[in-house]
Amino acid sequence: MTESAKKIGGVEFRSVSRRYGKVTAVDQISFKVEPGTLVTLLGPSGCGKTTTLRMIAGLEAPSEGTILIGGRDVTLLPATDRDVTMVFQSYALFPHMNVLDNVAFGLEVSGVPKAQREAQAMQGLAMVGLAGFENRLPSELSGGQQQRVAVARALVLEPEVLLFDEPLSNLDAKLRRKMRDDIRELQSKLGLTSVYVTHDQEEALAVSDRIIVMNRAVIAQEGSPSDLYRRPVSRFVADFMGISNLLDGIVIARADGRVKVRCGEATLDLPAPTATAADDVTVAIRPQGIRLEAEAAPDRLPVTVRKATYLGSHLEYVLDSDAGELFVVDPTSERAVPPGSGAWAAFRHDGVALVPRGE
Amino acid sequence: MFRSHILWLIIGWIGWAIVPWYGFASTRRPATGDWPPSGLLAGLGDAPWLLPLALFLALPVPFVLARSRHTGLALIVGGLGGLVWMMLEGSAITHKGWAWASLAGLFGRLPEGQPGMGFGAMITALAFLFFFTMGLAARGAMKGDRFTTGAIGFLVASIALFVFWPVSTVFSQAMLPDGDISGATALYNRLTARDIWSLGCITGDTRCGVVWNSVVLGTLCGVITTVLGLAFALVAARTDFPYQRALRLLSVLPIITPPFVIGLAVILLFGRNGTVTLFLAENFGLTATRWIYGLPGILLTQTLAFTPIAFLVLIGVVQGIAPSMEEAAQTLRAGRWQTFRRVTWPLMRPGLANAFLVGFIESLADFGNPLVMGGGYEVLSTKIFYAVVGAQNDPGRAAALGIVLLALCVGAFLVQHRWVGSGSYTTVGGKGFAGTPAELPVWLKRAVYGTAIPWAAFTFLLYGLILYGGFVENWGRNNTFTLRHYVTAFGLDWNQYGLLWTGRAWNSLFTTLEVSAIAAPLTAALGLITAYLLVRQRFAGRATFEFMTMLSFAIPGTVIGVAYILAFNQPPVELTGTAAILVVCFVFRNMPVSIRAGVASMSQLDKNLDECALTLGANSAQTIRRVIVPLLRPAIVAALVYSFVRAITSVSAVIFLVSARHDMATSYIVGRVEIGDFGLAIAYSSVLVVLMGLAIIFIQWAVGERRIARPTPQAPAARAQEVAA
Ligand SMILES: Nc1ncnc2c1ncn2[C@@H]1O[C@H](COP(=O)(O)OP(=O)(O)O)[C@@H](O)[C@H]1O
Ligand SMILES: [Mg+2]
């Protein structure tokens, strides 16, 4: 890798839409990716993440709107001429070229002399921990190794922007953790502007500087990982971020920056959320935000333990209450409450968020 | 962006100002000087209408040099203007002068017309075309991809010039006024002639019209080939028949056999002096007749020739039925027969319709067998031929017959296209099969064996006869061994000047090999580029484009032959009598096969592969060369083999286009057959079959394997679809 004149550009979308016939895959979205950061597009399958990513790469032309990379309008620039590379979900390794040729391909077509490009490719392979695999064919590598080759191939061009489309979805769970840490480490070491697509919220939380949650072709919420987890603005985001307890609630009082919310038989006194003006709300409670107590209190909910699962590091409960079913992760795994017994659910205030009801 | 603009501007100027403007090899205008005049010189001389082209060549220059924002527009205007002007001057001024009298009134008489366009004109026209497409690309067409726009432009223009324009001249020829009868009436008369449509054979004593002959023949052929093909397919895919390889060979044979060769073998068996005929006459006292000439003979030969095609279509269908579905049926307690009846059969039905239509179209378009076996039984393709070459020499009638035949074939093609849908080949996958296919019900198994095995034996017998027949003096009358036919055809001699190619077949054999060797790579390249565009690019009018490229496959060879001599025997594009017209004819007739092969294997390639190459900075051309071509080796082999072999074996269009200088093997052989010289014809045919076998081996060796370590097995279904067009 040459250290010279490394250009790090951000990405900006201005009201970009993409339609396929009657289907709108991406609808008027605008966002900014700051130079050197890793931003994740998170959302359920079919929400338009890949399409967005492909428009950054230039593989797909927007139906309307403007795309800027490094401050330059690239809307009409074909993929070939953009300084953007991509790690494909299927890896897209060229099956007829060996690992070295795959990694050196981008350098080759841009006319880098053989000796230099091979040196650079070797360096790239070393960076992803694959030195010594140069002469293998892709079909002779394991899934994780193929993944690394794909990353090395995209890295050696030192692109302005690096894109990942669900790069880990073909790997098994253990490898996935390791790869995502490696990717994050490489990205921050090289200071590359990156856009990362995934439908896995845990993965998104782990790798991102910022997360853009998409739903049905539009952006549902954008923010830092903790923003999204602590302050979801909609039921959809809360649900998608893994905040699995969603109970109906009614605001009964608002005063000096706090709200009182009635939720089943409990009345919670919470810091006022920013987004909810309506009185009908959904109370979103993280599984870790609930404790089981033996005594009653006004802000506790009476529950019956339906199921208790011992998982080594923690306990998982499924509780029945008048307000609905609750899922609890309890890290203090010593004293399990047996199924069938009654208890009181207490809520940690930083584990609860209010979002508008519906949707 | 900049470089290709400059390049094509320079090429355009060279084509206009330096390269001889008129005539290909057979230029008629005597050259005045050593170097025939370029567009510039001719324009300054007696063809001033060539001068305005400079305007269109010059228009984009300042924009390109200044890297103006309006370069795209300037290129579009220059390119389109130049093309339109060339079309206008080309069609307005023929070799005799003004094409239309009214123009003479306007501009005065011309002292002299102009001959057909040549290399200079061709190069300039290409440059104009690419100006236009580069201009479109600069304005954002196809995401600004110049290669793709250029390829689409080139293909559309060449298909228009070499398929649609000739076919349209057939229509205008059929409308030519006949004596004092006006054009429209003449067209009506020609299209409704009694000898085309008459139903006399049903109502009474006279003969039926030629359309009915063709339709009856086509229907019978379609039905019989489908039944036989299905029997073979079931044997191959659903039984443990031990000689599977022989079946495969059977399916390759007709591809490397000129269409009338089987006819020859049938004559050797059932003709007046045929072995079977003589045997029956001697032992049972049956009088030897010419019964085989006519419907029975044509039907027999066509069935022999086209059954393997039906087999290839249907083996794909049969193997495409996921065994898991049949297994599911069996777990639901369906017996063998119920499984076949309720699951297998309904899944096969569309494939059967497809096979029928393929057989129908092939039969209608077939020319060689009716010519050899027809006797008094006239079909459209032969009638067209006799309307052109015979004593009649009535192009109007030939054109009208051509329209009828074209309508039938294209109609059947449309039905097939609707039915099977354009997605038929995209479903081909290299996936292994899960589960084992269900066994056939016992009686069905007997039936398919009973049908397929005798027929296969018969086919092999005929091929044996062909090889053998070249070595006997005079089949049936004098069966002594001889090399006479081979010597006559392929004799070599030495004298003081060196080697003499004394055999009479050498001339046509060399032309055939040369023309096929030029046509095959062109066909494969154009076909695969088209496939790339169809599979990998989205553009407005893509469906129409696909349909256009496929349609040329449905145009019968005889119609193409007539169309080419009508369209290309006069300026502006004068090609008759050259080898170029043969090459062009093969390229555009056989391109659909390459397209199919390309589409089938390209849809199996992960689209991300080429997208990935693009994001890594490769342009479209580099992507094709470095990523797609190496992975498409099997398709390239298929495309090359088919186009090479079909160029050698085809006869229908060729027979109109050959000339004394450029004779082709097939038309030479047909000529021998017509004068009864079977020995030579058969000897020559055997040589062709063997040569093509060698060529296939050579092509496979030359293109090589693709090396991806875990090769996906070439799905037989893919091959079937290639043929099923
Ligand atoms: N080439 C295409 N043609 C038609 N529809 C498409 C195409 N690509 C994507 N879509 C549609 O656009 C929507 C978004 O797709 P995509 O961006 O791939 O979603 P994601 O990657 O978030 O799963 C989907 O509804 C999909 O069906
Ligand atoms: Mg996706």
Side-chain angles (χ1 to χ4, degrees):
Chain A
M1 298 255 145
T2 47
E3 290 304 316
S4 63
K6 201 184 248 172
K7 54 256 136 169
I8 303 171
V11 178
E12 186 177 352
F13 268 45
R14 292 189 187 149
S15 312
V16 174
S17 298
R18 169 71 210 194
R19 281 180 288 275
Y20 297 104
K22 287 203 179 68
V23 182
T24 304
V26 169
D27 194 7
Q28 296 271 339
I29 68 171
S30 305
F31 63 84
K32 251 187 178 165
V33 178
E34 295 301 332
T37 61
L38 190 152
V39 170
T40 297
L41 296 173
L42 175 66
S45 174
C47 70
K49 308 178 298 285
T50 299
T51 308
T52 307
L53 203 67
R54 290 166 56 84
M55 287 194 287
I56 304 176
L59 294 170
E60 209 70 72
S63 308
E64 60 196 43
T66 313
I67 299 173
L68 296 102
I69 294 177
R72 204 159 62 103
D73 181 351
V74 297
T75 315
L76 286 179
L77 206 62
T80 310
D81 303 333
R82 292 192 194 182
D83 193 6
V84 174
T85 61
M86 179 155 166
V87 176
F88 288 80
Q89 185 170 4
S90 62
Y91 312 147
L93 299 181
F94 305 126
H96 57 300
M97 296 180 197
N98 65 22
V99 167
L100 187 68
D101 290 344
N102 261 289
V103 177
F105 180 85
L107 300 165
E108 183 195 333
V109 292
S110 47
V112 177
K114 191 172 161 72
Q116 189 188 337
R117 69 174 183 246
E118 289 194 347
Q120 264 174 273
M122 298 289 263
Q123 224 173 332
L125 281 172
M127 205 157 23
V128 297
L130 275 184
F133 287 82
E134 299 77 37
N135 292 320
R136 301 247 191 129
L137 285 173
S139 56
E140 296 162 343
L141 300 178
S142 72
Q145 291 167 333
Q146 293 182 11
Q147 224 288 333
R148 287 164 191 273
V149 176
V151 172
R153 181 173 66 177
L155 279 180
V156 291
L157 285 181
E158 299 176 41
E160 218 172 336
V161 179
L162 180 55
L163 308 176
F164 297 89
D165 189 3
E166 312 218 7
L168 309 181
S169 60
N170 290 332
L171 303 179
D172 58 62
K174 265 208 187 124
L175 203 52
R176 218 178 289 170
R177 284 185 87 91
K178 164 135 184 56
M179 278 309 297
R180 90 182 175 209
D181 295 343
D182 289 357
I183 287 179
R184 176 60 166 168
E185 199 186 311
L186 268 177
Q187 182 270 334
S188 33
K189 194 169 90 192
L190 301 174
L192 286 167
T193 310
S194 307
V195 182
Y196 189 105
V197 161
T198 180
H199 63 257
D200 179 342
Q201 48 90 17
E202 193 190 321
E203 193 178 317
L205 291 171
V207 298
S208 319
D209 291 311
R210 285 180 80 71
I211 298 177
I212 297 173
V213 181
M214 290 184 71
N215 185 24
R216 300 203 192 144
V218 298
I219 293 179
Q221 189 176 355
E222 188 187 339
S224 70
S226 64
D227 273 352
L228 287 170
Y229 198 63
R230 291 177 196 288
R231 284 182 289 283
V233 297
S234 66
R235 190 187 161 102
F236 170 79
V237 175
D239 194 14
F240 205 78
M241 296 309 295
I243 306 172
S244 44
N245 300 308
L246 299 165
L247 307 179
D248 286 349
I250 293 176
V251 176
I252 48 176
R254 296 170 199 264
D256 18 294
R258 297 191 76 80
V259 290
K260 275 201 159 68
V261 181
R262 187 147 189 86
C263 175
E265 285 172 31
T267 304
L268 306 179
D269 186 14
L270 301 167
T274 44
T276 43
D279 284 347
D280 288 346
V281 293
T282 294
V283 183
I285 311 147
R286 283 193 276 140
Q288 295 86 351
I290 304 178
R291 271 172 297 118
L292 283 183
E293 302 286 352
E295 297 96 46
D299 60 350
R300 292 182 184 170
L301 203 56
V303 294
T304 318
V305 177
R306 169 140 49 98
K307 210 165 112 188
T309 316
Y310 177 73
L311 286 166
S313 63
H314 63 273
L315 274 161
E316 281 181 8
Y317 291 108
V318 179
L319 312 175
D320 284 325
S321 79
D322 291 349
E325 188 184 283
L326 292 174
F327 174 67
V328 175
V329 172
D330 184 353
T332 55
S333 57
E334 294 89 52
R335 38 174 188 90
V337 182
S341 52
W344 298 86
F347 304 103
R348 269 171 46 193
H349 287 179
D350 63 347
V352 179
L354 298 184
V355 298
R357 194 156 335 154
E359 175 54 16
Chain B
M1 197 162 269
F2 199 48
R3 255 201 336 212
S4 56
H5 290 173
I6 298 274
L7 181 72
W8 281 103
L9 277 176
I10 294 174
I11 291 175
W13 279 99
I14 292 177
W16 180 73
I18 298 175
V19 183
W21 186 261
Y22 289 117
F24 287 103
S26 66
T27 174
R28 288 209 200 129
R29 171 180 287 207
T32 51
D34 293 336
W35 188 250
S38 67
L40 172 65
L41 286 181
L44 293 173
D46 45 17
W49 51 84
L50 297 182
L51 290 180
L53 291 174
L55 214 68
F56 297 111
L57 285 169
L59 176 71
V61 175
F63 290 90
V64 168
L65 291 181
R67 299 181 181 224
S68 152
R69 265 193 317 123
H70 302 295
T71 306
L73 194 62
L75 283 169
I76 292 177
V77 172
L80 207 56
L83 284 178
V84 169
W85 182 263
M86 282 184 74
M87 267 184 243
L88 285 180
E89 58 90 7
S91 48
I93 303 162
T94 67
H95 56 293
K96 292 197 214 93
W98 292 109
W100 302 290
S102 52
L103 287 172
L106 254 162
F107 297 105
R109 301 193 67 76
L110 286 172
E112 198 176 353
Q114 60 178 347
M117 294 181 180
F119 285 108
M122 189 177 82
I123 292 170
T124 314
L126 264 186
F128 280 134
L129 178 67
F130 289 130
F131 285 7
F132 178 61
T133 60
M134 288 186 303
L136 287 180
R139 294 184 63 81
M142 301 302 307
K143 294 183 233 148
D145 190 332
R146 288 182 307 281
F147 175 83
T148 309
T149 41
I152 295 175
F154 179 76
L155 284 164
V156 168
S158 52
I159 290 172
L161 178 60
F162 291 117
V163 178
F164 284 80
W165 184 54
V167 170
S168 71
T169 58
V170 172
F171 284 85
S172 55
Q173 187 73 39
M175 272 190 282
L176 225 54
D178 182 9
D180 345 318
I181 307 172
S182 79
T185 325
L187 174 69
Y188 179 79
N189 288 347
R190 285 178 187 131
L191 280 180
T192 55
R194 259 188 70 75
D195 63 345
I196 302 183
W197 297 102
S198 160
L199 282 168
C201 57
I202 299 171
T203 54
D205 34 346
T206 53
R207 286 167 152 215
C208 264
V210 64
V211 164
W212 306 119
N213 285 354
S214 279
V215 169
V216 167
L217 176 66
T219 310
L220 287 174
C221 178
V223 170
I224 299 176
T225 53
T226 304
V227 170
L228 286 169
L230 179 61
F232 279 113
L234 289 175
V235 168
R238 288 299 162 92
T239 67
D240 40 13
F241 184 66
Y243 304 106
Q244 301 276 353
R245 289 182 73 90
L247 277 187
R248 296 280 158 184
L249 177 64
L250 197 67
S251 67
V252 177
L253 278 178
I255 296 165
I256 60 169
T257 311
F260 48 81
V261 170
I262 296 184
L264 295 182
V266 168
I267 290 176
L268 295 184
L269 276 184
F270 302 110
R272 269 276 287 269
N273 292 315
T275 312
V276 173
T277 313
L278 292 181
F279 177 81
L280 292 179
E282 274 167 31
N283 294 297
F284 301 97
L286 297 178
T287 29
T289 62
R290 294 173 54 82
W291 68 273
I292 193 72
Y293 295 95
L295 182 61
I298 309 177
L299 188 57
L300 180 61
T301 50
Q302 288 191 342
T303 308
L304 282 161
F306 304 139
T307 296
I309 296 178
F311 165 69
L312 285 176
V313 173
L314 290 170
I315 185 98
V317 173
V318 172
Q319 289 183 336
I321 297 172
S324 55
M325 273 189 256
E326 295 177 332
E327 285 179 342
Q330 283 170 340
T331 59
L332 299 170
R333 307 214 181 114
R336 275 190 196 177
W337 166 241
Q338 282 165 315
T339 305
F340 184 81
R341 170 80 192 66
R342 300 290 309 281
V343 178
T344 320
W345 175 255
L347 288 171
M348 281 191 315
R349 226 163 22 198
L352 292 175
N354 187 17
F356 169 79
L357 287 168
V358 170
F360 183 76
I361 295 175
E362 291 279 354
S363 163
L364 282 184
D366 183 27
F367 171 76
N369 288 312
L371 189 70
V372 173
M373 305 296 305
Y377 193 83
E378 284 185 314
V379 294
L380 282 164
S381 57
T382 50
K383 207 165 168 85
I384 293 172
F385 176 65
Y386 288 122
V388 174
V389 300
Q392 307 175 8
N393 193 4
D394 183 350
R397 219 169 87 86
L401 288 164
I403 292 173
V404 175
L405 179 54
L406 185 66
L408 277 177
C409 286
V410 172
F413 173 74
L414 290 182
V415 173
Q416 186 207 13
H417 200 76
R418 280 304 273 286
W419 208 317
V420 186
S422 49
S424 58
Y425 34 74
T426 54
T427 56
V428 174
K431 298 191 194 83
F433 297 124
T436 44
E439 289 232 357
L440 296 178
V442 175
W443 63 268
L444 186 64
K445 188 167 163 179
R446 289 204 187 116
V448 298
Y449 272 158
T451 323
I453 292 174
W455 189 259
F458 183 50
T459 308
F460 282 119
L461 171 72
L462 289 177
Y463 274 92
L465 283 181
I466 294 166
L467 288 179
Y468 179 55
F471 292 102
V472 302
E473 191 65 36
N474 190 338
W475 189 274
R477 294 200 198 125
N478 178 0
N479 285 346
T480 47
F481 176 84
T482 177
L483 285 176
R484 183 170 66 95
H485 305 304
Y486 282 92
V487 173
T488 318
F490 302 105
L492 289 173
D493 220 346
W494 288 93
N495 69 0
Q496 70 266 40
Y497 304 112
L499 187 62
L500 287 182
W501 305 87
T502 52
R504 284 192 284 156
W506 287 122
N507 179 24
S508 58
L509 183 64
F510 286 143
T511 311
T512 303
L513 290 178
E514 182 188 329
V515 167
S516 311
I518 296 173
L522 286 176
T523 317
L526 284 184
L528 294 177
I529 288 177
T530 310
Y532 168 77
L533 296 176
L534 288 178
V535 177
R536 289 297 205 251
Q537 304 284 350
R538 302 270 160 263
F539 48 93
R542 184 181 153 279
T544 321
F545 177 68
E546 173 176 17
F547 187 69
M548 226 169 95
T549 57
M550 284 298 159
L551 193 60
S552 68
F553 200 57
I555 303 175
T558 13
V559 176
I560 280 285
V562 171
Y564 271 36
I565 48 174
L566 291 177
F568 298 126
N569 70 345
Q570 63 198 22
V573 186
E574 190 177 0
L575 292 172
T576 42
T578 63
I581 196 170
L582 292 165
V583 172
V584 167
C585 174
F586 289 138
V587 169
F588 288 92
R589 268 179 68 64
N590 297 333
M591 208 169 80
V593 179
S594 305
I595 297 177
R596 291 257 160 170
V599 166
S601 41
M602 218 170 298
S603 355
Q604 290 180 29
L605 289 189
D606 186 355
K607 188 172 183 209
N608 285 349
L609 286 177
D610 29 307
E611 287 178 348
C612 180
L614 290 178
T615 63
L616 292 172
N619 60 35
S620 292
Q622 282 170 319
T623 305
I624 291 182
R625 193 166 51 77
R626 296 281 281 112
V627 178
I628 298 183
V629 166
L631 291 172
L632 278 190
R633 289 244 158 86
I636 295 173
V637 171
L640 279 176
V641 166
Y642 275 112
S643 23
F644 182 74
V645 160
R646 288 178 72 105
I648 291 185
T649 58
S650 91
V651 60
S652 52
V654 166
I655 206 154
F656 295 89
L657 304 177
V658 292
S659 48
R661 251 186 80 196
H662 302 286
D663 200 2
M664 296 281 286
T666 47
S667 75
Y668 179 81
I669 297 174
V670 167
R672 295 287 100 191
V673 174
E674 280 185 313
I675 60 167
D677 189 355
F678 287 107
L680 186 72
I682 289 172
Y684 200 166
S685 304
S686 323
V687 169
L688 283 185
V689 172
V690 172
L691 266 182
M692 281 181 280
L694 293 178
I696 291 177
I697 295 170
F698 172 76
I699 290 173
Q700 242 154 11
W701 170 80
V703 178
E705 301 269 316
R706 71 179 159 175
R707 195 177 69 99
I708 55 174
R710 288 183 198 165
T712 47
Q714 168 82 346
R719 291 171 162 276
Q721 294 295 350
E722 284 151 22
V723 182

